[in-house]
Amino acid sequence: MFNMEILTRNRLRNLTGAINESQVRYFSESDAKKTIFLSHKHTDKNLIHNIKLLLSSFNIKVYVDWLDDDMSDRTIGKTGEIIKQKIHNCDKFILAGTDEAIKAQWCNWELGIGDEVKLASDNIAILPVRQDDRQWEGTEYMQRFPTIEFSDGYSYKNSAGSFIPKGYYVLYPPDDKGSRHFEFLREWLSK
């Protein structure tokens, strides 16, 4: 089976450190052609900031519920309806798959809504993020979805034997033969 690198918290922090936040904010607000609903565990706020920067660097507008002025500061009965509508309105759905998010009821509920609403793997993915000293587990249900992973440019080869260029990729679940189709994250985001 073909796998690239699942991002660690530290690597994600280092990779996004070079992104100019003011440029990303300018481009994402004025020029973004696609929107992503970023599902996550609220205790991962620092990490979510880095993921939002990373995704915004692809000229994508990222919806994060706690950054929405229209959302209540606390969870109320109406929260679920608002979240459901936001998932519906966004072009793509990405779950920031930390250990905490995988266990969270809200994240699993949002993933189910995203699965129902987005219908195709071209519109939903999981960005697994593991602790630096552990493997990423996920759940059986999450194996249905593409994952966003990283290639360093010299560790992974395609079927023709050439190294896969450095960058972020969307890896689709294995087919019946165990092969995984992949594409650049930028291409997936633009669909």
Side-chain angles (χ1 to χ4, degrees):
M1 185 188 304
F2 179 80
N3 287 316
M4 290 187 197
E5 180 181 335
I6 302 275
L7 291 174
T8 64
R9 289 176 179 263
N10 280 338
R11 181 156 181 105
L12 183 63
R13 205 172 10 257
N14 293 339
L15 289 171
T16 57
I19 297 172
N20 184 327
E21 187 173 354
S22 62
Q23 288 178 333
V24 168
R25 189 174 296 128
Y26 170 75
F27 288 120
S28 67
E29 296 301 320
S30 62
D31 299 329
K33 294 183 177 42
K34 299 282 184 176
T35 57
I36 291 174
F37 182 93
L38 183 57
S39 178
H40 62 283
K41 179 76 171 147
H42 282 207
T43 55
D44 290 327
K45 278 187 177 182
N46 290 335
L47 179 68
I48 296 311
H49 175 73
N50 289 330
I51 292 172
K52 184 178 184 299
L53 273 175
L54 171 68
L55 294 171
S56 296
S57 73
F58 289 100
N59 199 23
I60 299 294
K61 185 172 183 174
V62 181
Y63 176 80
V64 176
D65 58 358
W66 45 267
L67 294 174
D68 184 347
D69 293 335
D70 295 334
M71 289 291 284
S72 174
D73 290 342
R74 59 184 182 82
T75 303
I76 58 175
K78 190 176 175 182
T79 302
E81 288 305 313
I82 295 170
I83 293 291
K84 194 185 271 189
Q85 189 62 47
K86 295 293 184 179
I87 293 170
H88 226 280
N89 292 343
C90 289
D91 299 301
K92 305 274 186 181
F93 178 99
I94 294 176
L95 169 65
T98 63
D99 291 340
E100 294 80 10
I102 291 168
K103 297 172 191 167
Q105 290 178 345
W106 272 102
C107 291
N108 282 286
W109 178 78
E110 289 170 354
L111 182 60
I113 299 297
D115 189 14
E116 180 182 322
V117 171
K118 298 305 170 201
L119 299 175
S121 61
D122 283 345
N123 296 317
I124 188 168
I126 296 175
L127 174 61
V129 181
R130 65 181 176 85
Q131 294 289 345
D132 298 316
D133 59 345
R134 294 196 306 245
Q135 287 295 97
W136 187 80
E137 298 289 326
T139 65
E140 294 85 8
Y141 177 64
M142 291 178 184
Q143 293 173 9
R144 301 170 15 98
F145 304 105
T147 55
I148 298 169
E149 299 184 26
F150 183 77
S151 171
D152 59 14
Y154 56 86
S155 297
Y156 308 102
K157 293 184 178 182
N158 61 22
S159 58
S162 302
F163 284 107
I164 296 168
K166 181 178 182 175
Y168 294 94
Y169 289 85
V170 174
L171 276 78
Y172 291 87
D175 62 18
D176 294 338
K177 297 176 183 174
S179 297
R180 294 185 78 181
H181 166 75
F182 59 92
E183 65 184 314
F184 278 109
L185 176 59
R186 181 177 303 285
E187 291 171 5
W188 183 83
L189 290 169
S190 68
K191 289 182 182 179

